[in-house]
Amino acid sequence: MPTDNRDAILQLTAAGVSVLIDATDGQLPAIVHWGAGLPALTAQQAETLVGASVPVTSSNTVDLPPRPGLLPGHHSGWTGRPGLRGSFDGIGWSPKFRTQTVALSGTPVTASTSSGPGLLEISALDDAERLRLDLTLELLPGGLLRSRAQLTNLCDEKYTVEDLALSFPIPSEATELLDFAGNHNYERIPQRGTLRTGTHLRENRKGRTGADSAYILHAGTPGFGFGHGQVWAVHTAWSGNHQHYAERVFTGEQLLGGGELLLPGEIRLGRGDSYTSPWIYASYGTGLDEVARRFHTHVRSRSPQVPAERPVTLNVWEAVYFGHDEDKLIDLAERAAAIGVERYVLDDGWFGSRRDDTSGLGDWVVSPDVWPTGLHPLADRVHALGMQFGLWFEPEMVNPDSDVARAHPEWIMAARTEWPAESRHQQVLNLGIPEAYEHVKKQILALLAEYRIDYIKWDHNRDLIEAGNQLEAGRPGVHAQTLAFYALLEEIRSLHPELEIESCSSGGARVDLGVLEHTDRVWVSDNIDPHDRQTMLRWTTQLLPPEYMGSHIASGRSHTTGRQHDLAFRAGTAIFGHLGVEWDLAKASPEEISGLRRWIAFYKQERSLLLTGDVVRMDGHDSNALFHGVVSRDRSCAIFAAVALDSLYPDPAGRLKLRGLDPDATYRVEPVFPWTTPSGLLPPEWWGQPAASGRATERTSLRGTTQDDVVFPGATFPGNVLSKVGVASPRIHPDQVVLYRVTKTG
Ligand code: GLA
């Protein structure tokens, strides 16, 4: 057992980040510094620094300066948001916690300590000894910080938790905010603003992460970008209702915080009951790329790891929608295998009476109407072709017109006798009811037992509106639903450890580090239009490394936007994620099929770099000229993409400056065209004279539009010249991309 110690100052340092934690005098821990790495401080130096950080009190406030800790307490005079709101029916609403024990990575802390990464555990009691608070603060090896809290009721009266949020201080120079908004088909759209006195609060009541989720809330020095400025960020790792906030109080303190958003009476603790908050992650870095890299390092260290050889996927949704037909879908599998696809996913429409989105959802039994001999002919053919077989589910949802809803109307989530407003003709199945949970689990496991299913696309296509438990007079059930969802994923995974699961929710509405503890990739958006995907991929990588982002090549005309794009732009966009195809290949021209085959071959050749390297996104003055890439961890090679999203002004774009390379090394930079050159190409001089590639061509070259089978030698430059001086851009038409392969030569 940790010994009683209440006078520790702890310094944790990892990967260029330091956290200095004041846990002295029995107070709850407060972060004195979270930011740039510091040299190891002696106990005396740490004490002096903690003293030096105490602000002078403002006039007409409490006499001692309030001390907003990880869980700010009102008792100290803090009049910003308290970390914990709750009461015993109106009593005990301002608890004053006293630290009982402090342990660092399992060892009791007996004196001020400086260490590397570590896990700090603090146990505290409120002064009336009715509540116990266990706080965890962990600095991970990659410099990412995370914290969570557990609150336990120690007495007979019921304690209602209204809100529990954890907060991290940020310095006063962090005045600019960046978080995200979005919608179905337009997920993770950045928005910037100024942090002013008051609270910038992002609340989510959708019962899922949400297409409009704040996602990651950043605060940084004015004008911060991908490669510059100091940036602090928080992310709430939770797939139910949640919150993010940035708060600045009049006296100047600033905090970033996050937590679950609890509905009225949702958490009522009896004696011995506990509430555990989600992890709140906090990432600091120079520029957004470093902030993102800390998230990536963490996700890449999870177990099980996703292999870099991510299988090229074909998802049938945009190819056939609900038009399931065995011959057609086997034909599609054969066409897919022939161009190098390695995983085939059968989407919505294979079960129950699900011939469109009005019926059958929730009945996870193969439909004899469309699959008279079951899925065996298709699954067997897919496997015989050497591909994995994946299947779509939406386990938390039902159509009212389904066998399950007819048999168990009481399993539908509702806050009143009347059911909630329908969305996509569906309601939510209450997995918080054990019988409902078991029913769904049994149906999924039966399919996993009958078929060799390598992959599940786990969908969730509506918000949770008035999501109560009918068996408890409509009490809120989102918290229980979220935990049941995680538990179901874990049960299925523990029985099928080889199974991969994708988190999909009307496209990209369930993307967070909570769901990523139980799933292996996310579907970024239902909008596959590469023009829009450029921005969505750019910002989804703020949290996730490329290998976790489902990134497909669809048909030339986007089903979502109606825009028409060349294959080179669709593919040159999609390869910076986990590549897939979502296209009726029977309708593709022979020329498109050849191009697709080449792009898939290129991806396979480069995926170990594309899916394991460091993501770099260049800051540019023109939001229509994006430049990004992936640099191998050892800096020996990289692939960059220069994207024109519109007619460029000035035309052509400025110099391309390549960040992330070794400044002291020399690199060969070559433009690469796995299929055709981009439309409107006017190459810069440094590319050198084009030569025939020697590849067999299946199309006619047209100068300036579709020259294929040419290679440009490119040129060799020192790394620091590439980052500081840059090289001229070519001229290309809007919605075109040029890829560069960069290879260290010395
Ligand atoms: C959601 C998903 C799509 C597809 C459909 C099926 O919209 O995001 O990819 O699976 O459901 O109904």
Side-chain angles (χ1 to χ4, degrees):
M1 274 296 288
T3 55
D4 187 327
N5 184 285
R6 311 189 197 173
D7 267 317
I9 300 172
L10 296 119
Q11 181 190 357
L12 307 178
T13 300
V17 173
S18 279
V19 195
L20 192 68
I21 304 135
D22 172 15
T24 55
D25 205 19
Q27 306 174 92
L28 281 188
I31 295 176
V32 175
H33 167 79
W34 161 44
L38 305 174
L41 302 172
T42 62
Q44 182 60 50
Q45 286 170 326
E47 197 178 315
T48 308
L49 187 51
V50 168
S53 71
V54 177
V56 173
T57 50
S58 309
S59 62
N60 200 20
T61 61
V62 289
D63 293 342
L64 292 176
R67 182 176 168 281
L70 257 182
L71 194 86
H74 185 58
H75 64 84
S76 73
W78 173 252
T79 52
R81 285 168 58 99
L84 173 64
R85 274 190 290 124
S87 72
F88 297 95
D89 194 19
I91 310 296
W93 57 275
S94 179
K96 183 173 180 181
F97 287 101
R98 301 290 299 168
T99 297
Q100 306 298 306
T101 59
V102 181
L104 181 58
S105 303
T107 306
V109 172
T110 52
S112 292
T113 307
S114 168
S115 84
L119 176 82
L120 190 63
E121 292 167 293
I122 290 120
S123 187
L125 287 176
D126 82 305
D127 53 354
E129 302 204 351
R130 289 186 295 191
L131 293 173
R132 193 178 74 231
L133 177 70
D134 292 294
L135 281 175
T136 306
L137 182 72
E138 184 171 20
L139 183 66
L140 297 158
L144 188 65
L145 189 61
R146 64 178 182 173
S147 182
R148 72 177 171 194
Q150 185 178 63
L151 187 74
T152 307
N153 182 6
L154 303 177
C155 68
D156 288 333
E157 292 105 294
K158 281 224 179 320
Y159 183 83
T160 303
V161 185
E162 288 167 36
D163 187 35
L164 197 163
L166 295 163
S167 51
F168 301 84
I170 49 170
S172 52
E173 60 268 31
T175 55
E176 188 167 322
L177 298 177
L178 165 69
D179 65 4
F180 296 86
N183 217 325
H184 178 224
N185 290 328
Y186 297 96
E187 289 89 340
R188 288 167 288 286
I189 304 303
Q191 54 177 17
R192 286 200 183 228
T194 304
L195 176 55
R196 298 200 169 86
T197 297
T199 308
H200 171 79
L201 175 63
R202 297 294 308 280
E203 292 187 328
N204 166 294
R205 288 186 184 76
K206 297 192 159 180
R208 58 174 165 174
T209 325
D212 61 345
S213 121
Y215 191 49
I216 305 171
L217 171 56
H218 306 80
T221 50
F224 66 85
F226 291 112
H228 64 270
Q230 285 198 85
V231 188
W232 293 261
V234 289
H235 167 76
T236 300
W238 188 246
S239 314
N241 293 338
H242 64 280
Q243 54 179 322
H244 290 90
Y245 59 89
E247 180 172 39
R248 179 184 161 87
V249 299
F250 182 63
T251 44
E253 287 95 347
Q254 305 194 143
L255 305 166
L256 291 179
E260 185 177 2
L261 187 149
L262 298 170
L263 294 172
E266 193 164 32
I267 303 291
R268 292 171 311 142
L269 306 177
R271 179 186 275 279
D273 292 344
S274 295
Y275 165 73
T276 305
S277 78
W279 284 110
I280 312 302
Y281 285 83
S283 183
Y284 162 80
T286 300
L288 291 162
D289 277 358
E290 197 173 42
V291 169
R293 199 156 307 139
R294 297 195 197 284
F295 286 121
H296 296 182
T297 303
H298 172 60
V299 173
R300 284 174 166 169
S301 70
R302 60 158 242 184
S303 172
Q305 286 185 352
V306 301
E309 301 294 298
R310 300 295 267 153
V312 176
T313 297
L314 179 123
N315 184 290
V316 309
W317 179 240
E318 285 204 359
V320 300
Y321 293 101
F322 289 104
H324 283 210
D325 172 86
E326 188 179 294
D327 292 343
K328 162 90 187 163
L329 285 161
I330 288 178
D331 175 69
L332 187 54
E334 284 164 356
R335 290 173 191 270
I339 56 169
V341 168
E342 299 159 312
R343 172 183 287 161
Y344 179 98
V345 182
L346 184 65
D347 210 284
D348 197 355
W350 54 267
F351 49 89
S353 59
R354 185 79 166 172
R355 301 295 77 78
D356 57 32
D357 63 8
T358 62
S359 172
L361 190 61
D363 297 334
W364 305 110
V365 176
V366 177
S367 166
D369 299 342
V370 275
W371 297 97
T373 49
L375 297 175
H376 289 291
L378 176 66
D380 291 351
R381 186 71 189 124
V382 164
H383 285 129
L385 289 163
M387 296 187 289
Q388 296 181 11
F389 181 66
L391 198 57
W392 182 95
F393 288 89
E394 197 180 351
E396 298 139 276
M397 298 290 163
V398 296
N399 284 126
D401 179 11
S402 64
D403 292 345
V404 65
R406 274 185 290 274
H408 291 286
E410 76 283 8
W411 288 356
I412 286 176
M413 298 196 86
R416 61 186 78 246
T417 43
E418 190 189 345
W419 285 357
E422 279 188 14
S423 177
R424 209 191 184 205
H425 316 288
Q426 64 196 58
Q427 295 289 1
V428 183
L429 189 79
N430 191 346
L431 296 183
I433 297 175
E435 295 77 12
Y437 177 99
E438 288 302 322
H439 170 81
V440 177
K441 184 177 89 181
K442 205 169 131 203
Q443 287 199 326
I444 296 175
L445 290 179
L447 284 150
L448 291 175
E450 183 175 356
Y451 297 98
R452 213 178 103 206
I453 296 171
D454 307 290
Y455 183 78
I456 286 181
K457 177 177 176 183
W458 189 298
D459 215 332
H460 178 282
N461 283 325
R462 65 159 294 169
D463 294 336
L464 271 60
I465 304 295
E466 293 196 319
N469 186 337
Q470 289 192 59
L471 303 184
E472 293 182 9
R475 274 188 182 283
V478 178
H479 174 78
Q481 179 79 351
T482 312
L483 289 179
F485 159 60
Y486 289 158
L488 185 54
L489 286 167
E490 262 336 281
E491 272 206 76
I492 292 170
R493 277 159 61 101
S494 65
L495 293 168
H496 294 272
E498 301 302 317
L499 182 73
E500 272 197 33
I501 302 181
E502 170 176 37
S503 170
C504 176
S505 180
S506 319
R510 196 145 68 179
V511 178
D512 64 80
L513 291 186
V515 79
L516 259 298
E517 286 180 23
H518 314 281
T519 54
D520 308 289
R521 84 165 206 171
V522 303
W523 180 224
V524 171
S525 177
D526 277 349
N527 179 355
I528 315 179
D529 176 335
H531 179 94
D532 293 337
R533 273 291 180 120
Q534 280 288 342
T535 311
M536 289 190 271
L537 288 170
R538 187 174 185 80
W539 289 110
T540 304
T541 47
Q542 192 55 27
L543 186 69
L544 296 185
E547 63 272 26
Y548 281 85
M549 304 190 300
S551 186
H552 293 181
I553 302 170
S555 53
R557 181 175 287 279
S558 164
H559 290 201
T560 313
T561 65
R563 277 193 290 241
Q564 182 80 35
H565 288 110
D566 293 348
L567 176 61
F569 185 51
R570 280 136 62 206
T573 299
I575 57 162
F576 289 91
H578 177 186
L579 186 69
V581 176
E582 193 153 336
W583 181 2
D584 184 355
L585 297 176
K587 293 195 183 134
S589 68
E591 191 178 72
E592 287 174 313
I593 292 292
S594 305
L596 198 50
R597 191 185 293 117
R598 285 249 190 106
W599 272 100
I600 289 172
F602 174 76
Y603 179 77
K604 287 181 176 173
Q605 180 191 313
E606 301 292 353
R607 66 185 156 190
S608 60
L609 162 62
L610 289 167
L611 303 183
T612 61
D614 288 341
V615 171
V616 279
R617 295 158 295 177
M618 264 52 77
D619 293 293
H621 63 284
D622 184 345
S623 58
N624 286 316
L626 306 183
F627 189 36
H628 66 96
V630 179
V631 181
S632 68
R633 308 301 298 278
D634 64 1
R635 311 248 168 283
S636 65
C637 55
I639 291 184
F640 286 91
V643 184
L645 290 182
D646 206 341
S647 301
L648 301 175
Y649 181 80
D651 180 9
R655 290 186 194 158
L656 301 170
K657 293 186 177 148
L658 285 61
R659 210 156 39 71
L661 302 171
D662 177 353
D664 301 323
T666 307
Y667 292 93
R668 167 144 223 95
V669 184
E670 305 155 81
V672 281
F673 307 107
W675 177 230
T676 54
T677 52
S679 172
L681 175 67
L682 289 178
E685 255 184 64
W686 69 266
W687 282 16
Q689 284 306 309
S693 70
R695 287 192 307 217
T697 181
E698 290 162 61
R699 59 185 300 154
T700 322
S701 296
L702 293 173
R703 195 187 179 295
T705 52
T706 53
Q707 293 174 332
D708 31 343
D709 300 306
V710 288
V711 285
F712 290 88
T716 300
F717 307 91
N720 55 5
V721 166
L722 287 169
S723 66
K724 293 202 167 84
V725 183
V727 291
S729 304
R731 187 189 182 289
I732 50 176
H733 282 157
D735 281 347
Q736 299 291 329
V737 58
V738 175
L739 300 183
Y740 295 91
R741 186 188 281 114
V742 178
T743 317
K744 194 170 173 177
T745 58

